Amino acid sequence: MRSRTAVPAVLLFALTACTTGPSLENRGEVTAPPGDSRQLTIGSAGFTESDLLAQMYAQLLNQAGYRTSLITVANREIYEPALESGQIDVVPEYAATFADWLNAKANGPDAPPVGSPDLDATMKALRRLATPRGLTVLDPGRAVDQNAFAVTAAYAREHHLKTLSDLGASGLKVRLAAGDECVQRPYCEPGLKKVYGIDITGVDPKGVGTTQAKRAVQSGQDQMVLTTTTDATLGQFGLVLLADDKHLQNADYVVPVVNRARAGSEGVTKALGKLNDVLTTADLAAMNQQVDSWRRLAQDVARTYLRDKGLVK
């Protein structure tokens, strides 16, 4: 019943160059009623977690009587205008990141960020920015894919560490494996020092959650790595996350974003909302692991999960 359509990104780009969302002079008013197209295109950003979410969205919508096709467009600069124009109808997004992206698009790259650790404030800002573009942001669930910090399980046991506050209180000197930008980003080195009092002695520029960065911590070359809360491979390197107990990281909860004119109906909202009641951060990490480490297809992993939760037949 479900179909998968491969739409070349080049074609999509050509179409988005010709077709846009609401005109600038009309973006202050959204007068069109929510639409309910029975055939919907679900977009994925091309990485494992986005593929899994897009597959779950498609299968939930199929169950609700919609026909769906999937398209992968890794570049947000391409898929967001396509979402505005209705070439893509639904995409999984992350609240704080998408809010800041739309804010920069509307107000310039130097605009103060509107995403924050406060989910309610972030969602309010996101919806304020999305609505004039003909987009509706549905409610977030419990799943969140935030930046996170991991140490080896042995290091955590030795120093009695469960949280980043514990690490700050320990007085331990910490070399951090992360991306180059960590030395400037408020959620990274500056935030770890200011909010948690962690003694960061240096940043080892090995990237965010890369195999190279994890191996550096595993070997003891570095003491901590910047990764994400849904990282599926931490256990393979003997790593564990330290809890962000003072909420340094932004509220990057998973949110479906839809084109209001085509997919803003109660039917779409209800179908996708079922995922909010069950999907957790740990669930996402486990599914990521099945795809990335066990080499299962995202479509199959998504179907098994939804069936196990009683959401599809």
Side-chain angles (χ1 to χ4, degrees), residues 23-215:
S23 62
L24 289 174
E25 60 269 22
N26 293 330
R27 280 186 173 169
E29 301 178 14
V30 179
T31 57
D36 193 27
S37 173
R38 305 309 294 179
Q39 182 150 354
L40 300 172
T41 300
I42 317 300
S44 165
F47 56 94
T48 296
E49 187 169 292
S50 188
D51 288 344
L52 283 163
L53 289 164
Q55 286 286 352
M56 286 190 283
Y57 290 0
Q59 293 177 36
L60 287 168
L61 289 166
N62 292 157
Q63 180 79 15
Y66 294 87
R67 296 180 61 190
T68 64
S69 59
L70 277 77
I71 180 173
T72 297
V73 186
N75 192 323
R76 189 180 274 121
E77 284 78 6
I78 296 176
Y79 75 67
E80 189 278 331
L83 182 63
E84 289 188 34
S85 69
Q87 295 167 76
I88 296 175
D89 302 304
V90 184
V91 295
E93 265 291 358
Y94 300 92
T97 295
F98 196 46
D100 284 338
W101 193 87
L102 288 180
N103 187 44
K105 184 174 180 179
N107 301 309
D110 296 326
V114 294
S116 76
D118 185 326
L119 177 59
D120 290 341
T122 296
M123 287 297 297
K124 184 177 180 180
L126 174 54
R127 284 171 166 152
R128 184 180 67 246
L129 290 159
T131 297
R133 295 184 176 277
L135 307 180
T136 296
V137 182
L138 305 186
D139 290 340
R142 293 182 286 167
V144 57
D145 188 350
Q146 296 170 307
N147 292 303
F149 297 90
V151 298
T152 65
Y155 185 83
R157 285 194 302 270
E158 180 184 357
H159 299 290
H160 309 289
L161 307 177
K162 293 184 177 180
T163 68
L164 290 170
S165 288
D166 292 340
L167 182 56
S170 73
L172 293 165
K173 295 185 181 299
V174 175
R175 180 173 162 88
L176 176 63
D180 292 334
E181 70 279 2
C182 179
V183 296
Q184 297 177 339
R185 295 287 175 87
Y187 67 79
C188 204
E189 180 183 0
L192 291 173
K193 289 180 174 179
K194 181 178 179 181
V195 175
Y196 287 108
I198 297 172
D199 187 1
I200 304 293
T201 60
V203 172
D204 189 4
K206 286 184 164 58
V208 179
T210 62
T211 296
Q212 185 184 21
K214 291 171 190 171
R215 284 178 176 163

